[in-house]
């Protein structure tokens, strides 16, 4: 009798459960969706990841980065998913760039990148020092016993134009797709403006979306979107956009070489002492 009574209750509960929202398929809206829904239920996030996987699978990921990179709209308001533009900074100053790419290593191997404290020669060549502090999930993320990893990273960026320190927060989550395969979604941000050495230049805002999806033959489909603004005396928006685009591409190359155990392209010293801050 108890089982017979349970059936209509179960059916009623199932009928009341709302299906996840339909994820967008166009890249701009899909980028916003994955960033803003980062903390949502698994099925909501997975819907967006599957659509991005489909989009990436149709791109020529061997093409020159100048042909692969896309311009994106400014991210602000609800699309920030609970994050905020730093005080005193205008979202409209962002130079948003998205770059699709690929890795020759499977998604399962990518966690080696996330769990590496020293991010020099994993990030682009302008990163001369970067150390991660693990806030949550360090001991269980790689094994799959937990699906979240939280870090904060102290970063020193240097090039001929400017030298700056900033603190960056980054969250990773493991997502199981409809076919049972594993993917990784990450987003990162800064919470304040950081003045460069000499205080003429500054790093004003930074939001990033970093996606790892299963590709063919044990490869990984990658997508990296970056919304940022800086003050660099003498550098216009177009020139900065090119720097961002090339930096994203460089970081993908460095990361793959790091996973291969053969760092060739990066000329930075991973064992360098911490610069004065």
């Amino acid at each position: 009798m108890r089982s017979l009574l349970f059936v209509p209750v179960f059916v009623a509960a199932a009928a009341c459960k709302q299906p996840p929202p339909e994820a967008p398929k166009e890249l701009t809206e899909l980028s916003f969706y994955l960033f803003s829904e980062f903390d949502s239920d698994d099925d909501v996030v997975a819907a967006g990841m599957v659509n991005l996987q489909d989009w990436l699978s149709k791109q020529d990921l061997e093409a020159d980065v100048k042909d692969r990179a896309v311009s994106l709209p400014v991210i602000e308001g609800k699309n920030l998913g609970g994050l905020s533009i730093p005080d005193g900074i205008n979202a409209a100053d962002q130079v948003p760039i998205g770059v699709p790419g690929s890795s020759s290593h499977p998604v399962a191997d990518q966690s080696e990148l996330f769990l590496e404290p020293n991010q020099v020669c994993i990030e682009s060549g302008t990163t001369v020092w970067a150390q991660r502090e693990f806030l949550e999930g360090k001991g269980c993320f790689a094994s799959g016993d937990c699906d979240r990893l939280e870090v904060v990273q102290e970063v020193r960026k240097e090039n001929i134009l400017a030298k700056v320190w900033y603190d960056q927060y980054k969250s990773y989550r493991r997502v199981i797709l409809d076919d049972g395969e594993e993917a990784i979604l990450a987003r990162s941000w800064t919470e304040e403006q950081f003045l460069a050495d000499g205080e003429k230049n500054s790093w004003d805002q930074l939001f990033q979306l970093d996606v790892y999806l299963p590709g063919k033959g044990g490869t990984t489909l990658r997508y990296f979107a970056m919304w940022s603004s800086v003050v660099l005396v003498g550098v216009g928006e177009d020139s900065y956009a090119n720097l961002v685009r090339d930096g994203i591409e460089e970081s993908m190359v460095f990361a793959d070489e790091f996973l291969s155990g053969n760092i060739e392209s990066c000329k930075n010293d991973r064992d360098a002492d911490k610069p004065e801050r």
Side-chain angles (χ1 to χ4, degrees):
M1 179 65 70
R2 289 179 61 191
S3 61
L4 291 174
L5 289 173
F6 177 73
V7 170
V9 175
F10 175 79
V11 171
C16 292
K17 183 179 179 180
Q18 296 296 316
E22 183 177 350
K25 295 183 178 180
E26 191 272 327
L27 184 63
T28 290
E29 294 304 318
L30 191 51
S31 300
F32 287 161
Y33 177 93
L34 289 173
F35 198 97
S36 63
E37 299 289 353
F38 183 87
D39 288 319
S40 294
D41 291 343
D42 288 348
D43 54 352
V44 173
V45 177
M49 297 285 271
V50 168
N51 285 356
L52 180 58
Q53 184 183 40
D54 181 64
W55 185 87
L56 287 168
S57 68
K58 298 174 183 176
Q59 307 307 305
D60 180 3
L61 301 179
E62 300 299 322
D64 190 281
V65 67
K66 291 183 290 186
D67 299 318
R68 280 184 282 125
V70 297
S71 295
L72 298 169
V74 164
I75 192 168
E76 59 183 332
K78 67 178 183 179
N79 288 325
L80 286 171
L83 300 177
S84 301
I85 304 295
D87 290 343
I89 303 303
N90 190 346
D93 292 334
Q94 293 171 11
V95 179
I97 301 292
V99 178
S102 64
S103 167
S104 60
H105 300 272
V107 172
D109 291 354
Q110 304 294 329
S111 60
E112 183 179 344
L113 301 172
F114 319 147
L115 295 167
E116 169 57 47
N118 182 358
Q119 290 289 301
V120 174
C121 291
I122 294 176
E123 295 193 1
S124 65
T126 56
T127 299
V128 300
W129 200 89
Q131 287 288 329
R132 291 189 162 182
E133 176 186 351
F134 295 92
L135 305 176
E136 178 184 333
K138 181 182 179 182
C140 58
F141 188 80
S143 66
D145 292 332
C146 63
D147 61 4
R148 295 292 291 262
L149 176 68
E150 305 284 343
V151 307
V152 60
Q153 181 170 307
E154 190 178 19
V155 180
R156 175 68 169 180
K157 288 277 190 180
E158 293 185 0
N159 61 22
I160 61 173
L161 302 171
K163 299 177 181 180
V164 64
W165 282 103
Y166 63 81
D167 299 314
Q168 180 180 11
Y169 294 87
K170 193 156 191 173
S171 300
Y172 298 86
R173 66 176 292 176
R174 181 175 286 104
V175 181
I176 305 302
L177 306 180
D178 295 344
D179 58 6
E181 290 193 286
E182 177 184 301
I184 302 292
L185 176 65
R187 71 173 182 177
S188 59
W189 66 97
T190 54
E191 296 187 341
E192 59 185 281
Q193 179 193 53
F194 293 90
L195 296 179
D197 296 5
E199 300 188 356
K200 291 182 179 180
N201 300 307
S202 59
W203 194 292
D204 294 345
Q205 59 187 314
L206 174 65
F207 301 97
Q208 295 175 338
L209 182 72
D210 198 0
V211 189
Y212 302 78
L213 287 153
K216 294 181 179 179
T219 63
T220 295
L221 299 172
R222 291 201 57 187
Y223 175 63
F224 194 103
M226 179 168 165
W227 297 264
S228 65
S229 69
V230 300
V231 173
L232 286 174
V233 176
V235 177
E237 184 174 305
D238 289 344
S239 295
Y240 178 64
N242 290 337
L243 291 173
V244 170
R245 178 200 67 203
D246 293 344
I248 293 173
E249 174 70 0
E250 189 174 55
S251 69
M252 290 187 182
V253 172
F254 287 2
D256 231 32
E257 289 184 353
F258 182 87
L259 290 176
S260 296
N262 185 22
I263 300 174
E264 295 181 342
S265 302
C266 180
K267 305 307 179 184
N268 293 340
D269 182 1
R270 281 178 46 83
D271 298 319
D273 293 335
K274 179 181 179 180
E276 183 179 353
R277 181 171 186 177

